């Protein structure tokens, strides 16, 4: 017979270890021994429902344990004490706290414990009470009693239901008996009146009178009922209900399509990839599949249930009640939050998996499935991101047409509020993943592929068409003419700019993109942007006149190949300025981040966190989501960060939360008072502090902003150079090592050939700028080190040994922050003349001023070159900027490169737009004053389509981007706030009216049918020209009721024209927020290289973007409850405006034909809507009912 209980000793020891480490309650307690009146002090640890005690706090093995489940704990009085012993000892024992653990069953002795303090005793009792699960047991008993009670109720209800069923059966029997009695009574009554029917048959006059009376009563009732029905049909309530029902029908169609998309995602990608991951040679792992798709399958099941519920509601039409469906959907929408948070990571995992050739090949097979309709996996993964906003729009429209007393209005409002809360969380996540989707889309368009785009740190900046001039030999350009047709055709390149690379592609006849074999992928680290040719270079002078000053150079110096030069031509000076500004910003980011990394890592005692390293190396900066206006203005001029995305977003949207005067005042303060205007945290991080030099070279002890401990800048000895460098050197190809003796800041002069730059060549003595190191640094560096190359530092920053020269003790130590300041200020522009005062350059204020001036000029250059409309419409702002620039030019400490940059901005701001090749609508109207306009019959479809496209683009291009802010086109004073958007809408309506009027001018059917076929052909040519606004103008005219009802005319139209008409209507349909039009813009067959739209020039439909902007404006506020600016919303608005401006900036190369334009703008040909419908009724009258 077994006498002992076996237990798992290893597991018990493991629990004891956890109790010692993570126990709920731990400490010393006195335990009463089996012998009376003897207490032993033990170390107790409580873990879950097990109480362990040890001999001491350091004991590794427990002396025993108690299972506390079902026990009770109560306080016990102190046991009586004998009179023996000192009185103080007895008092101490009486003050101790005694409590007992009762285990509630026989055979187990109670556990008596005591502690020194009453508070500790109470805490032990509370912890033991919780570990005994007493409350849970009591709750279980209560729930069991409720369950028994409910079972009794159910049984009682069953008995009552059976009784009621028997009663109903008895009542049915009684009803049948009564019916039979009524039938018998009716038969008896008929027998009692035998002559009644006979009399009716015998009196035909009375019968006729009754028939007339019955007819009149019926006619009057029908007339009255018809009036009631017509009044209701015309009532606002009926109109609201019709719109409400239509919204629901549209919602069901959209939900059907969305469920189909999820079905393709799950069955076309997720499940096949799961099977592939289980194969012998898996191209992808199960973890990656889970990371990419996460809970996509759950989302599909959820929406299948929701879709079935919607279809069930339609069966009960016209009574549509949807609130209960949303009540079911809302608790499960948290899975969307998980999907959104994972979305960016899923795209990153997908990009990494695509580097596996087997996976990429397998994925292309899945995407070739006809069900995918040419869409990529990234597209399907993005669909759930926009479903919640669609629900919000639908509920917003439903509430607009739901009466306040409606039974489900409160439920719909609650659902809308919950969805808006979820949407605010999702907005930021959607914008974060947009860049990855763009990069993957561009990578798919390049035939050879481009691995650098799979790097998720790459950020897309801009894209466009440039002409590459054949370059050549020793830096000399070949003599080619800008107007040469062969140069335009053969030299046209599709260029893509990213934060770290510049791609140059050619387009084949089939529309495919191919990277250039040489110079197709340019790393900006190895590039030097030459903004203006050297004035001393005769060839550069000639090329400037030859190309109209539209050319700029990029000198590439790869480490493993010979240098070469890429010469590119922009379509206009505005385009050139925009390209050069963006390229300069990207290279500044790389230079700033590389030097900041060195400031952190090589000269600081603090280790740089891995996340900061990752951010700096990927040229990314922290994104602002919410901030005050003051913080945004600080970020604009913060010396730590250079972000082109922030700069573009700020300059596009600053009118929403501030004014141009405030922005300019901030820039002016930064220039005039950099130490008091620049945030302290920016200056603290800007200078790396050296422990040997703390407290030295303080600027002014009275100012708290000037009392920061900065490492002192080094003395400089710089003399004037014979010829200043014309090119802006942005090459980042050398090392910055803090332990080498001196820093050489010389820059070689830029000649026509880039091969003159040598990383190891020593500069002439008169051009050297030497920064001596501190004695401590030199003492630890006895051997001479050769300069090394690093991609993070400009090549003009060189450390070299002082060559045994004696160090002057007065020389202050150099830190990489000082080098960073000088590099940021000088930006590699060569040796600055006049910069030869050692005491002045040792002053930190001078270095900060140079850096602040460089930043202010950088912002102003970007503002003037890319946002010139601000100054064209605000003359006061223009004059203030001119005054500030003139003040900068008068600065005696201004460096030559700063003076040159200031002069360039002044010239760009002062000169009239002489090189503006863009036409204005007013100019076109003045140029079309010809005596006789062409008629519709003599004009070809090609001429009409080209001139319509030209007019549409001129009107579209004239819209200033500030009109897209604040939904001014929806306000009562829209004509004053957004005159150009209203002019665009008016032009759209006039062109549509012209098409309809021209068709209705023909009296015979054949002429009208021919006119319809010709206008459809014009619309198709507009589609080929990417003028989707023109396509919508013509299709809208053909769908007018006055033309659509002409059945005889449409019967004469050919089947091919009708099929083409249907195709065009489907392309520009407004269903799904212009889903087909967006897809067409993204995936144009002939020009498929545009990441967010088709290749400019193009004219998209403006209403599509206005809908997007209205959705963003209504869905998210401009300011938070705390008064902070919602900068995430500003970023989304800026992205839409940037896309619109991409189309505005590229003009069509279409010659103006005055006679055709005069016909298109002739308002005498336009017939108003009412007259059109009257003509339609005369041509084809209504058929009798």
């Amino acid at each position: 017979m077994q006498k002992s209980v076996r237990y798992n000793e290893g597991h018990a020891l493991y629990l004891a270890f956890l109790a010692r480490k993570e126990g709920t309650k731990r400490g010393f307690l006195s335990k009463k021994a089996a012998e009376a009146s003897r207490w032993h002090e033990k170390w107790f640890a409580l873990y879950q429902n097990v109480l362990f005690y040890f001999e001491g706090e350091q004991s590794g093995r427990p002396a025993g344990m108690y299972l506390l489940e079902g026990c009770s704990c109560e306080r016990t009085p102190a046991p009586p004490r004998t009179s023996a012993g000192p009185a103080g000892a007895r008092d101490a024992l009486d003050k101790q706290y005694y409590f007992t653990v009762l285990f509630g069953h026989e055979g187990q002795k109670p556990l008596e414990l005591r502690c020194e303090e009453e508070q500790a005793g109470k805490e032990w009792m509370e912890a033991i009470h919780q570990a005994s699960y007493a409350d849970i047991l009591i709750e279980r008993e209560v729930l069991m009693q409720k369950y028994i009670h409910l079972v009794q109720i159910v049984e009682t209800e069953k008995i009552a239901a059976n009784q009621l069923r028997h009663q109903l059966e008895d009542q049915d029997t009684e009803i049948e008996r009564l019916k039979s009695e009524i039938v018998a009574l009716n038969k008896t009554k008929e027998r009692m009146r035998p002559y009644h029917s006979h009399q009716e048959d015998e009196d035909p006059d009375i019968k006729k009178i009754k028939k007339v009376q019955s007819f009149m009563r019926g006619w009057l009732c029908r007339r009255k009922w018809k009036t009631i029905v017509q009044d209701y049909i015309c009532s606002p309530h009926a109109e609201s209900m019709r719109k409400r029902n239509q919204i629901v029908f549209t919602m069901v169609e959209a939900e059907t399509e969305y469920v189909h998309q999820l079905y393709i995602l799950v069955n076309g990608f997720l499940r096949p990839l799961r099977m592939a991951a289980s194969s012998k040679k898996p191209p992808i792992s199960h973890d990656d599949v889970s990371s990419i798709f996460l809970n996509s399958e759950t989302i599909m099941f959820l929406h299948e249930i929701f879709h079935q519920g919607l279809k069930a509601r339609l069966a009960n039409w016209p009574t549509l009640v949807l609130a209960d469906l949303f009540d079911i959907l809302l608790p499960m929408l948290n899975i969307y939050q998980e999907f959104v948070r994972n979305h960016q990571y899923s795209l990153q995992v997908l990009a990494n998996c695509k580097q596996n050739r087997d996976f990429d090949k397998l994925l292309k097979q899945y995407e070739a499935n006809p069900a995918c309709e040419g869409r990529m996996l990234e597209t399907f993964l993005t669909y759930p991101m926009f479903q919640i906003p669609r629900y919000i729009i639908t509920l917003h429209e439903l509430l607009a047409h739901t009466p306040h007393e409606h039974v489900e209005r409160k439920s719909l409002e609650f659902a809308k509020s919950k969805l808006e809360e979820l949407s605010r969380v999702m907005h930021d996540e959607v914008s974060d993943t947009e860049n990855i989707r763009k990069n993957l889309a561009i990578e798919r368009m390049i035939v050879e592929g481009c691995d650098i785009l799979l790097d998720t740190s790459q950020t897309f900046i801009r894209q466009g068409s440039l002409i590459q001039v054949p370059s050549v030999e020793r830096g000399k350009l070949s003599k080619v003419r800008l107007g040469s047709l062969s140069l335009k055709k053969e030299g046209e390149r599709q260029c893509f700019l990213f934060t770290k690379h510049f791609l140059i592609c050619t387009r084949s006849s089939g529309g495919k993109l191919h990277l250039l074999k040489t110079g197709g992928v340019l790393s900006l680290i190895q590039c030097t942007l030459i903004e203006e040719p050297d004035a001393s270079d005769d060839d550069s002078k000639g090329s400037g006149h030859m190309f109209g000053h539209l050319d700029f150079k990029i000198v590439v110096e790869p480490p493993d190949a010979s240098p070469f030069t890429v010469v590119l031509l922009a379509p206009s000076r505005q385009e050139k300025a925009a390209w050069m500004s963006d390229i300069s910003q990207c290279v500044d980011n790389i230079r700033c981040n590389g030097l900041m990394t060195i400031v952190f890592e090589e000269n600081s005692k603090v280790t740089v966190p891995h996340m900061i390293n990752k951010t700096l190396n990927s040229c990314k900066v922290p994104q602002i989501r919410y901030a005050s206006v003051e913080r945004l203005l600080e970020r604009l001029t913060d010396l730590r960060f250079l972000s082109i995305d922030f700069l573009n977003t700020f300059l596009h949207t600053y009118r929403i939360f501030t004014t141009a005067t405030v922005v300019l005042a901030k820039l002016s303060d930064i220039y005039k008072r950099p130490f008091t205007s620049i945030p302290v945290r920016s200056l603290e991080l800007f200078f790396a502090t050296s422990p040997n030099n703390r407290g030295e070279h303080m600027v002014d002890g009275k100012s708290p902003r000037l009392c920061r401990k900065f490492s002192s800048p080094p003395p400089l000895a710089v003399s004037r150079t014979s010829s200043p460098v014309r090119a802006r050197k942005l090459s980042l190809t050398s090392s910055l090592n803090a332990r080498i003796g001196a820093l050489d800041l010389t820059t070689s002069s830029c000649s026509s050939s880039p091969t003159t730059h040598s990383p190891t060549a020593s500069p002439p003595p008169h051009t050297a700028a030497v920064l001596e190191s501190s004695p401590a640094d030199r003492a630890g560096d006895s051997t001479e080190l050769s300069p090394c190359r690093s991609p993070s530092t400009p090549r003009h920053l060189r450390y070299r040994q002082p060559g045994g020269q004696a160090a002057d003790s007065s020389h202050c130590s150099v830190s990489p922050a000082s080098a960073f300041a000088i590099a940021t200020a000088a930006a590699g522009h060569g040796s600055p003349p006049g910069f030869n005062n050692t005491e002045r350059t040792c002053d930190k204020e001078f270095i900060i001023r140079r850096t602040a001036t460089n930043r202010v000029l950088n912002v102003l250059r970007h503002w003037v070159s890319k946002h010139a409309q601000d100054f064209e419409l605000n003359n006061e702002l223009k004059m203030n900027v001119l005054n500030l620039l003139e003040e900068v030019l008068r600065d005696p400490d201004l460096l030559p490169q700063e003076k040159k940059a200031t002069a360039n901005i002044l010239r760009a701001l002062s000169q009239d737009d002489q090189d503006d090749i863009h036409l204005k609508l007013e100019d076109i109207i003045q140029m079309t004053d010809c005596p006789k306009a062409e008629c519709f019959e003599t004009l070809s479809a090609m001429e009409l389509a080209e001139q319509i496209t030209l007019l549409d683009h001129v009107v579209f291009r004239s819209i200033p981007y500030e009109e897209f802010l604040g939904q001014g086109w929806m306000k009562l004073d829209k004509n004053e706030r957004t005159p150009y958007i209203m002019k665009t809408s008016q032009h759209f309506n006039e062109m549509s009216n012209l098409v309809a009027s021209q068709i209705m001018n023909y009296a015979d059917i054949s002429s009208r049918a021919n006119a319809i076929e010709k206008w459809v052909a014009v619309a198709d040519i507009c589609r080929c020209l990417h003028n989707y606004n023109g396509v919508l103008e013509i299709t809208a005219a053909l769908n007018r009721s006055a033309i659509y009802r002409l059945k005889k005319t449409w019967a004469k139209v050919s089947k091919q024209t009708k099929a083409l008409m249907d195709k065009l209507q489907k392309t520009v349909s407004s269903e799904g927020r212009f889903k087909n039009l967006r897809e067409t813009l993204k995936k144009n067959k002939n020009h498929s290289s545009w990441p967010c739209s088709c290749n400019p020039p193009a004219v998209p439909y403006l209403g599509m973007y206005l809908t997007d902007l209205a959705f963003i404006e209504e869905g998210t506020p401009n300011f938070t409850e705390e008064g902070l600016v919602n900068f995430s919303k500003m970023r989304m608005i800026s992205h839409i405006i940037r896309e619109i401006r991409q189309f505005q900036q590229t003009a069509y190369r279409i010659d103006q034909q005055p006679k055709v334009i005069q016909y298109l703008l002739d308002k005498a040909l336009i017939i108003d809507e009412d007259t059109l419908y009257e003509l339609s009724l005369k041509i084809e009258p209504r058929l009798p009912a």
Side-chain angles (χ1 to χ4, degrees), residues 343 347 378 382 386 430 433-441:
H343 189 56
L347 292 180
E378 294 88 346
T382 307
F386 302 100
V430 172
T433 59
E434 183 180 358
N435 173 64
I436 301 175
R437 294 197 301 272
K438 285 182 180 179
N439 291 1
L440 292 177

Side-chain angles (χ1 to χ4, degrees), residues 1044-1093:
Y1044 188 77
R1045 62 174 298 276
L1046 301 176
K1047 296 182 180 180
K1048 295 180 181 179
T1049 303
W1050 283 103
K1052 288 282 187 180
V1053 177
S1054 63
K1055 293 182 179 180
Q1056 293 82 357
T1057 301
K1058 290 180 180 178
L1060 180 58
M1061 174 73 177
D1062 294 338
K1063 179 182 177 181
L1064 295 173
Q1065 286 182 337
K1066 185 178 180 181
T1067 300
V1068 296
S1069 172
S1070 62
E1071 294 180 359
R1073 295 175 62 245
F1074 297 94
K1075 183 194 69 173
N1076 294 332
L1077 180 55
R1078 295 178 195 273
E1079 291 292 331
T1080 303
L1081 290 172
K1082 288 180 181 178
K1083 296 183 179 181
N1084 187 273
K1085 292 183 179 179
N1086 294 328
H1087 303 283
S1088 60
S1089 60
W1090 189 243
C1092 56
S1093 55

Side-chain angles (χ1 to χ4, degrees), residues 310-374:
L310 283 177
K311 291 196 295 186
R313 294 298 187 275
L314 287 182
N316 298 326
W317 188 87
T319 304
L320 290 171
V321 180
L322 302 175
D324 55 344
L325 278 180
F326 280 101
D327 291 340
I328 297 172
L329 183 66
L330 284 176
M332 294 183 283
L333 286 180
N334 287 331
I335 60 175
Y336 269 101
Q337 201 163 349
E338 298 176 10
F339 185 90
V340 169
R341 287 173 178 170
N342 182 73
H343 189 56
Q344 183 174 7
Y345 178 68
S346 70
L347 292 180
Q348 291 177 354
V349 173
L350 179 61
N352 293 332
C353 292
K354 284 183 178 180
Q355 297 181 13
N356 184 348
R357 298 296 181 186
D358 295 336
F359 174 81
D360 192 52
K361 182 178 180 181
L362 183 64
L363 184 60
K364 287 181 179 178
Q365 290 179 359
Y366 295 156
E367 292 174 346
N369 190 338
C372 296
E373 298 178 351

Side-chain angles (χ1 to χ4, degrees), residues 254-255 258 261-262 299 303 333 336 339-340 343 347 378-394 419 422-423 426-435 437 1072-1073 1075 1078-1079 1082 1108 1111-1112 1132 1136:
E255 190 69 21
Y258 180 56
Q261 292 166 351
L262 292 176
I299 292 177
H303 283 277
L333 286 180
Y336 269 101
F339 185 90
V340 169
H343 189 56
L347 292 180
E378 294 88 346
T379 304
F380 288 98
L381 288 173
T382 307
Y383 284 138
M385 306 288 288
F386 302 100
Q387 192 62 18
I388 300 299
R390 286 173 183 159
Y391 285 148
I392 295 175
I393 294 174
T394 302
L419 288 173
L422 184 60
S423 178
M426 296 172 64
H427 266 312
D428 296 337
E429 305 291 344
V430 172
S431 60
D432 289 342
T433 59
E434 183 180 358
N435 173 64
R437 294 197 301 272
R1073 295 175 62 245
K1075 183 194 69 173
R1078 295 178 195 273
E1079 291 292 331
K1082 288 180 181 178
D1108 294 342
F1111 167 70
I1112 294 174
M1132 289 186 289
I1136 295 176

Side-chain angles (χ1 to χ4, degrees), residues 440-451:
L440 292 177
I442 297 173
E443 196 272 339
R444 286 297 183 89
M445 296 168 189
I446 299 174
V447 175
E448 299 85 358
C450 190
D451 292 340

Side-chain angles (χ1 to χ4, degrees), residues 648-660:
N648 280 326
T649 302
F650 184 91
L651 292 177
H652 275 140
T653 61
Y654 70 85
R655 294 170 184 80
I656 297 177
F657 50 85
T658 186
T659 62

